[in-house]
Amino acid sequence: QVQLVESGGGLVQAGGSLRLSCAVSGYTFSSYRMGWFRQAPGKEREFVSAISRAGGIVRYADSVKGRFTISRDNSKNTVYLQMNSLKPEDTSVYLCAATGRVSDPTTQEYEYWGQGTQVTVSS
């Protein structure tokens, strides 16, 4: 049974930082490309960042480039999202996802999804 469990969300002031984690079980973690997405109330889910299987290739949405850093530790079956210089508009539920097949990691066609962790940035 595949499970993705996010943690690390919370309430932070604008300009602050948070580090999200996504622990994965139930499949060979290193065989899957990982992504982070977010969804704010009343808005569509949007791509945030993605990382290749070995971690050598990363992608970011323009809105987070230069502020967020994605990484993974295949020995711990975990992917991370370091979020710095947070803004109120970053407030969302953040979800991690895994894919073994899509070629464009910015799409939403991932096979597995976590339940999400809430990030709230106050002004």
Side-chain angles (χ1 to χ4, degrees), residues 74-122:
N74 286 348
S75 69
K76 296 182 179 179
N77 288 2
T78 302
V79 61
Y80 306 96
L81 186 68
Q82 177 67 45
M83 306 187 296
N84 298 330
S85 302
L86 283 161
K87 304 175 181 180
E89 51 263 44
D90 294 318
T91 296
S92 281
V93 173
Y94 283 74
L95 307 100
C96 70
T99 180
R101 63 189 186 205
V102 298
S103 58
D104 179 1
T106 67
T107 70
Q108 308 227 0
E109 301 301 317
Y110 284 60
E111 295 94 286
Y112 305 110
W113 291 84
Q115 293 298 309
T117 185
Q118 176 70 46
V119 171
T120 303
V121 184
S122 63

Side-chain angles (χ1 to χ4, degrees), residues 38-56:
R38 66 187 182 185
Q39 187 165 21
K43 294 187 178 181
E44 293 187 354
R45 187 167 58 191
E46 64 175 358
F47 168 77
V48 175
S49 183
I51 189 167
S52 61
R53 295 170 179 84

Side-chain angles (χ1 to χ4, degrees), residues 19 21-25 27 29-30 72-80:
R19 188 195 196 201
S21 300
C22 175
V24 175
S25 61
Y27 66 84
F29 179 68
S30 59
R72 67 189 294 164
D73 186 337
N74 286 348
S75 69
K76 296 182 179 179
N77 288 2
T78 302
V79 61
Y80 306 96

Side-chain angles (χ1 to χ4, degrees), residues 15-73:
S17 298
L18 284 173
R19 188 195 196 201
L20 305 184
S21 300
C22 175
V24 175
S25 61
Y27 66 84
T28 304
F29 179 68
S30 59
S31 297
Y32 283 74
R33 181 178 297 163
M34 300 298 297
W36 284 98
F37 292 77
R38 66 187 182 185
Q39 187 165 21
K43 294 187 178 181
E44 293 187 354
R45 187 167 58 191
E46 64 175 358
F47 168 77
V48 175
S49 183
I51 189 167
S52 61
R53 295 170 179 84
I57 301 172
V58 297
R59 295 277 299 273
Y60 297 99
D62 288 342
S63 58
V64 306
K65 203 171 293 183
R67 300 188 297 121
F68 291 11
T69 302
I70 190 171
S71 62
R72 67 189 294 164
D73 186 337

